[in-house]
Each structure stands twice: as structure tokens, then as C-alpha cells.
Amino acid sequence: TPLQAALDACAFTGWMGVFNLCILWIPILVMHARGIHAFALPTPDSLPLVLLDATLEGAFASILVLAIALSSPLFVTVGTVLAIPTSAFVDSVVNGLSCQPQSLAGGGLVVLGFMGVNLAGLTEGVEGWPSWL
């Protein structure tokens, strides 16, 4: 059932977080001790932004896994890629930035691809539509 799939997805995401918390901090200490990469705690000024970023990343990962469990991986993947042309559009409106023609064409192709995936899903098994769509 979709509810069971969503619960399984949430459990999987939770166990990934437990694994990261318990295991993946060890390479950070090793790289710091060997001088490969210096580790520093965030400054008090940047700490709220780091916590906000961590919260938003956790929410994004959880919602992404739920979306995949409740729909299809292809739909979610193509929908996630829509963030690129959307952010370019918002940058142009809010910050007055302009895009190169190649970027506009690429964003348009992403939007067309998303529409094509949705059209293919809606017309699957409907008479009168080509089977290759």
C-alpha cells in the first residue's frame, strides 16, 4: 500500500541518518588529523544559517523519499530538475539577472521534458494515443 511504502521510506531515511551520525564523522577526524582538510566549528554568526541549512536539507530528503514512495522515481527526478530553470527565473525576476540564450533553451527543454513525462503517464493505456508515448 502507499502508506506502507511511505513508512518504509521514512524508516530507511531515518536509518541513513543514524548511520551518518554514528559512522561518517570518523573520516572527518582522520582528514583533520592528517592535514588533508581542516575542520572548524561554525562561527556564532554563521551557526543559525548552518542549522537552517541542515533543517532544510533534512526536510528535502524526507519529502523526496516520500514523493518517490508515493509516485514514481522518474516523475520525482524530472520534477526535481525543474528547480534549475525555476531558480533561474526567480533570479531574473528578483535580482534582475539575465540568462544566456543557451540557458533559456535548456530550461525550456527541461520544462518540455517534465510535461512529456506527465503526458506519457496520463495517456498510458488510453486508446487513440500512440503506444510509444
Side-chain angles (χ1 to χ4, degrees):
T1 67
L3 179 60
Q4 185 61 43
L7 291 174
D8 291 343
C10 288
F12 177 76
T13 304
W15 281 112
M16 280 187 353
V18 169
F19 176 80
N20 288 340
L21 184 65
C22 294
I23 304 294
L24 291 182
W25 59 271
I26 296 169
I28 294 172
L29 295 178
V30 170
M31 288 190 296
H32 180 72
R34 298 186 134 247
I36 297 170
H37 184 61
F39 174 75
L41 292 172
T43 63
D45 293 339
S46 65
L47 186 61
L49 294 175
V50 170
L51 294 175
L52 176 66
D53 181 56
T55 303
L56 292 175
E57 287 289 335
F60 174 75
S62 299
I63 291 169
L64 185 70
V65 169
L66 281 174
I68 290 172
L70 297 175
S71 62
S72 74
L74 178 64
F75 174 77
V76 174
T77 302
V78 176
T80 303
V81 172
L82 277 176
I84 298 167
T86 303
S87 65
F89 175 75
V90 170
D91 271 347
S92 67
V93 170
V94 173
N95 299 323
L97 300 176
S98 61
C99 293
Q100 295 181 350
Q102 298 93 333
S103 298
L104 294 173
L109 290 174
V110 169
V111 171
L112 284 175
F114 184 72
M115 290 170 51
V117 167
N118 284 326
L119 181 64
L122 290 173
T123 60
E124 187 175 346
V126 175
E127 284 190 40
W129 284 88
S131 61
W132 54 268
L133 186 64

